[in-house]
Amino acid sequence: MELKRVVITGLGTISPIGNDVATTWKNALEGVSGAGPITHFDASLFKTQFACEVKGYNSADHFDRKEVRKYDLYAQYGMIAAREAVKDAGLEEYESLNKDRVGVIFAAGIGGLHTFEEEAGYYALNQDKGPKYSPFFIPKMIADMAAGLISMNYGYRGPNYATVSACASSTHALIDAFNCIRLGKADAVVTGGAEAAIYPAGVGGFNSMHALSTRNDDPTHASRPYSGSRDGFVIGEGGACLVFEELEHALARGAHIYAEVAGGGMSADAYHLTATHPEGLGAILVMKAALDDAEMKPEDVDYINLHGTSTPVGDISEAKAIKQVFGDHAYKLNLSSTKSMTGHLLGATGALEAIFSVKSVQEDIVPPTINHEDGDNDPEVDYNLNFTFGKAQKRTVNVALSNTFGFGGHNACIIVKKYNK
């Protein structure tokens, strides 16, 4: 069976550094941090009191009152990102679109955490009165609801489900969408992820694991991947969406093509609940798997969007893995962690970083890793690698690879390349 080619025809996001793709990309290239004091709840008694929140968001600007009651914030973010991506792709303007062959594969690492927290808290305060839950509790909470709502909104009746693999969730969604199209199961798939976990249970839970930065006196410089003084990740929120489309279908309707999906890889660390393998064994496997799937050599890659969360162990293991996979070519790559600006969007992070990778391929520029200061080095990090510290760098980017690694040892990697006829 001949595999079909898959291209990217639409992009959408609502992120901590912009409420659309154009603003988010501009701010990423300029090295703008999305971190600031938490406003979603009173975090004054928490070890971490800051996060990368979406700015200036009002649900009423996007949804009517009844919808707001039914949709958790994570699902709202997912729908907003999908609206931009679908509009960007021009899918709704294509009169011959067969909606039976358009799918929605959309991820969340946690889902409606705020809804769960609210409902559980209500019961704890009213146990003597017996259980009384909102009829929207379960539909708002479950991690597949963003995928369902997007399909309902547009009437897309193709493959429809969510992927849940912690911080690798939305990259797994992209890979599933890619495979679905190239195997001929759909003409197009709206894919990505959303997350909204900046609430007491999310921040408190990660604090208890010592996973979050506690640099409360300087939030905008807290996410500092590959720096010696890094002390944990900064939690973020938002949604990111891409429209994947079969090449001939895209050409038939005259769609704008951003890039082509070249391949994807998946692996497991099989090592620890939350820590990456210290030698990056799972990361090595997943990057090799992606290269094999794309039928590429390591020398073909120009840019890697790092998982790079700013955790003491994770950053080191990823750098080791890159050196192992790419050998001498590792020193010719541009590497960057855009989490230094956006924070870590958990289940949405892979899709957002795939958008950054697509834009790098499209515009031949690599966004920076911010917040590294001269002399703030880790003896276990090889600084001969080009982490694109400080400023965006222009270079030819024919091929970009994006890494995501999740709690539970889940690893996913996707490769995009310039589209050539």
Side-chain angles (χ1 to χ4, degrees):
M1 176 182 176
E2 184 178 353
L3 296 176
K4 298 181 182 295
R5 292 172 67 183
V6 181
V7 293
I8 299 161
T9 57
L11 304 174
T13 192
I14 178 167
S15 83
I17 59 171
N19 292 356
D20 54 37
V21 171
T23 307
T24 296
W25 179 237
K26 176 179 180 290
N27 285 333
L29 293 181
E30 293 178 358
V32 174
S33 170
I38 290 172
T39 64
H40 288 330
F41 68 96
D42 180 1
S44 59
L45 297 179
F46 284 69
K47 293 178 182 177
T48 296
Q49 299 164 12
F50 63 94
C52 283
E53 295 180 339
V54 169
K55 313 296 187 297
Y57 180 73
N58 184 347
S59 297
D61 293 337
H62 303 274
F63 305 98
D64 65 36
R65 187 172 61 180
K66 290 182 179 179
E67 290 174 321
V68 172
R69 288 182 61 214
K70 297 177 184 178
Y71 306 159
D72 186 88
L73 184 60
Y74 98 91
Q76 294 178 34
Y77 287 158
M79 292 178 72
I80 290 167
R83 287 174 180 174
E84 183 183 9
V86 169
K87 182 177 180 180
D88 185 38
L91 280 184
E92 291 305 281
E93 299 169 7
Y94 184 51
E95 295 181 359
S96 300
L97 185 70
N98 182 355
K99 293 187 177 183
D100 292 350
R101 289 187 55 80
V102 181
V104 181
I105 303 175
F106 211 84
I110 300 174
L113 182 64
H114 182 46
T115 294
F116 182 85
E117 189 173 62
E118 280 190 322
E119 293 288 330
Y122 178 83
Y123 178 63
L125 292 172
N126 296 276
Q127 289 188 45
D128 57 325
K129 298 179 182 178
K132 184 179 180 181
Y133 290 93
S134 165
F136 301 119
F137 172 31
I138 299 300
K140 285 178 71 174
M141 177 194 70
I142 52 181
D144 68 310
M145 193 48 64
L149 290 170
I150 294 165
S151 71
M152 293 176 214
N153 186 70
Y154 292 103
Y156 297 156
R157 294 179 290 271
N160 179 236
Y161 58 93
T163 54
V164 179
S165 50
C167 306
S169 296
S170 55
T171 303
H172 276 124
L174 302 184
I175 293 169
D176 278 10
F178 172 52
N179 286 328
C180 187
I181 296 169
R182 68 173 172 170
L183 291 172
K185 306 296 184 183
D187 296 327
V189 178
V190 178
T191 185
E195 205 78 90
I198 305 175
Y199 289 101
V203 175
F206 283 119
N207 267 157
S208 69
M209 298 166 54
H210 306 288
L212 296 182
S213 171
T214 57
R215 197 181 288 264
N216 293 312
D217 59 338
D218 192 13
T220 59
H221 296 94
S223 184
R224 45 181 57 215
Y226 295 93
S227 292
S229 61
R230 67 192 184 280
D231 68 329
F233 74 83
V234 178
I235 190 171
E237 64 175 359
C241 182
L242 302 89
V243 174
F244 283 10
E245 192 166 352
E246 192 272 322
L247 174 60
E248 295 304 320
H249 188 271
L251 292 175
R253 65 184 190 86
H256 171 258
I257 295 173
Y258 283 99
E260 183 170 357
V261 185
M266 299 177 278
S267 76
D269 279 3
Y271 172 70
H272 189 272
L273 282 174
T274 57
T276 57
H277 190 283
E279 299 303 316
L281 295 187
I284 291 168
L285 286 172
V286 79
M287 286 187 281
K288 285 185 174 180
L291 288 167
D292 288 346
D293 191 44
E295 298 183 346
M296 288 181 174
K297 299 175 292 186
E299 294 77 18
D300 294 327
V301 178
D302 302 299
Y303 167 50
I304 298 178
N305 187 293
L306 301 163
H307 185 60
T309 57
S310 188
T311 56
V313 175
D315 289 6
I316 293 170
S317 63
E318 185 175 13
K320 287 181 178 178
I322 289 167
K323 290 173 67 174
Q324 184 69 30
V325 172
F326 290 90
D328 290 341
H329 184 65
Y331 298 96
K332 300 176 183 177
L333 294 164
N334 270 79
L335 315 171
S336 74
S337 172
T338 46
K339 289 184 182 72
S340 60
M341 297 168 286
T342 66
H344 192 351
L345 275 65
L346 309 177
T349 203
L352 180 59
E353 290 164 9
I355 290 174
F356 290 144
S357 300
V358 168
K359 294 297 289 182
S360 290
V361 165
Q362 181 194 25
E363 298 186 9
D364 288 322
I365 191 168
V366 173
T369 304
I370 66 169
N371 294 333
H372 180 73
E373 300 167 359
D374 290 344
D376 185 14
N377 292 346
D378 183 327
E380 294 193 63
V381 174
D382 183 351
Y383 291 99
N384 291 312
L385 296 170
N386 183 2
F387 291 103
T388 321
F389 285 133
K391 294 177 64 176
Q393 292 181 14
K394 292 286 291 183
R395 67 163 291 167
T396 300
V397 183
N398 290 314
V399 177
L401 177 154
S402 181
N403 280 332
T404 47
F405 314 135
F407 285 175
H410 314 296
N411 306 308
C413 173
I414 194 160
I415 298 175
V416 296
K417 65 181 181 179
K418 286 191 189 303
Y419 164 66
N420 294 304
K421 295 180 181 179

